[in-house]
Every structure is written in C-alpha cells, then in structure tokens.
Amino acid sequence: MSTRHERTGETTGEATSETLDDTAGAPLVLRGRKVVGGCVEGEALVTRDRISGWGGIDPRTGTIIETRHELRGQSFANKVLVFPGAKGSSGWSSQFHIARIAGTAPAAMLFNEMTTKIALGAVVSHAPSLTDFDIDPLDVIETGDWVRVDADRGVVEVLKRKRA
C-alpha cells in the first residue's frame, strides 16, 4: 500500500470551526481493510500502548484500568479508539462484549495488528473496525481529533483538533 496523504473536500457537519483546526483544510484520509463494517464518527482516543481486555478495562464504564497503561482512568466509551492492538488472553472479546451490552464500547476501533482476539472483540462490540492502513493512524491521529470511520468503504477521515 502507498503512504501518501490524500485530502478530500468533505466535512462532517458535526464539529464546529471553533473546535477544529480550520487552517488544516480538508480532512486527512486514511485507507484500511474492513474488519467490521459500519459508518460512525466521533472523537479519537489514541494510545501507543496495547490494550488488555481481561483485567485491563472495566467494561461497565469503558474505562482503562490497567495500572501502567498511559490511558489509565480514561474511558473509550463512544470514542474512536486508535491503538496498536490487543494483548493478553482470549478474555479480550468477552470484556468488549460486556462493554457493548453496557453501552460503553468504543464507537469504532482502528488498530495496526490483527489477531484473533481483536477480531472477535471487534465483532462482538459491533464497532466499525479497520486495520492494514496505508498510513499508520498512530502517526497522524491524536486524541481529540474528530474522526469519521466508513469501514464499509475502508476509509477514515480525520479533522485535526486545534491545539493550544
């Protein structure tokens, strides 16, 4: 896959110019491979740490509880979770299934490493999910950016949040 940055002229209509960087122009577009279909948009929550499902998250709140995780205490509920991949046991999928039932699952998941545990976790959470990107999402998406995920088309559009 190529590593070029592609821009489009579309906007989400959900965020305002006060919260998004209007100097950045059109959204940055990434292309990836669909794991779970669907189309959603929301605020990004980004980590370079792998996520442990069993013992690493509280599925009742969608909060990361792993002691040494950089997002400890933060909730991924209804956010676009951007991370390298899963770690730990096969309990990963059961915890994300519980999060979906509790209404605290991520709105979408973007990850770099496909494993059976993360594939099943994505399926049971019903979160649109992509992997195998032309541009590493960890290099271009930051927490707080507004992200539109169209997993059916394999497209992610990123509107950069203004930074203080």
Side-chain angles (χ1 to χ4, degrees), residues 2 13 31 44 64 93 106 109 116 119 131 134 141 147 150 153:
S2 70
R31 298 193 185 281
I64 295 175
S93 60
M109 292 192 276
T116 54
T131 193
D134 60 346
I141 303 174
V147 182
D150 186 341
R153 294 188 315 138

Side-chain angles (χ1 to χ4, degrees), residues 7 16-26 145 159-163:
R7 301 274 179 169
T16 67
S17 60
E18 296 172 3
T19 60
L20 297 175
D21 186 354
D22 55 4
T23 62
D145 289 346
L159 288 170
K160 300 302 288 180
R161 182 81 60 174
K162 284 186 179 178
R163 306 291 175 214

Side-chain angles (χ1 to χ4, degrees), residues 35-149:
V35 178
V36 175
C39 187
V40 299
E41 55 186 59
E43 183 179 355
L45 180 64
V46 182
T47 179
R48 289 196 168 274
D49 290 347
R50 295 180 181 284
I51 295 177
S52 176
W54 189 259
I57 69 166
D58 178 349
R60 297 166 299 163
T61 62
T63 302
I64 295 175
I65 61 172
E66 185 177 347
T67 304
R68 291 181 182 87
H69 200 282
E70 71 175 323
L71 294 181
R72 184 167 196 250
Q74 294 187 52
S75 175
F76 51 68
N78 303 310
K79 295 191 177 165
V80 176
L81 183 59
V82 183
F83 62 114
K87 69 178 178 182
S89 71
S90 59
W92 210 89
S93 60
S94 68
Q95 296 302 295
F96 277 82
H97 177 68
I98 293 168
R100 180 185 63 81
I101 292 169
T104 62
M109 292 192 276
L110 309 176
F111 52 88
N112 292 330
E113 184 184 3
M114 171 62 94
T115 60
T116 54
K117 74 182 104 207
I118 199 166
L120 184 54
V123 168
V124 300
S125 70
H126 298 189
S129 302
L130 292 164
T131 193
D132 295 339
F133 296 94
D134 60 346
I135 302 168
D136 186 342
L138 295 171
D139 289 342
V140 295
I141 303 174
E142 299 173 272
T143 294
D145 289 346
W146 192 259
V147 182
R148 178 189 295 156
V149 177

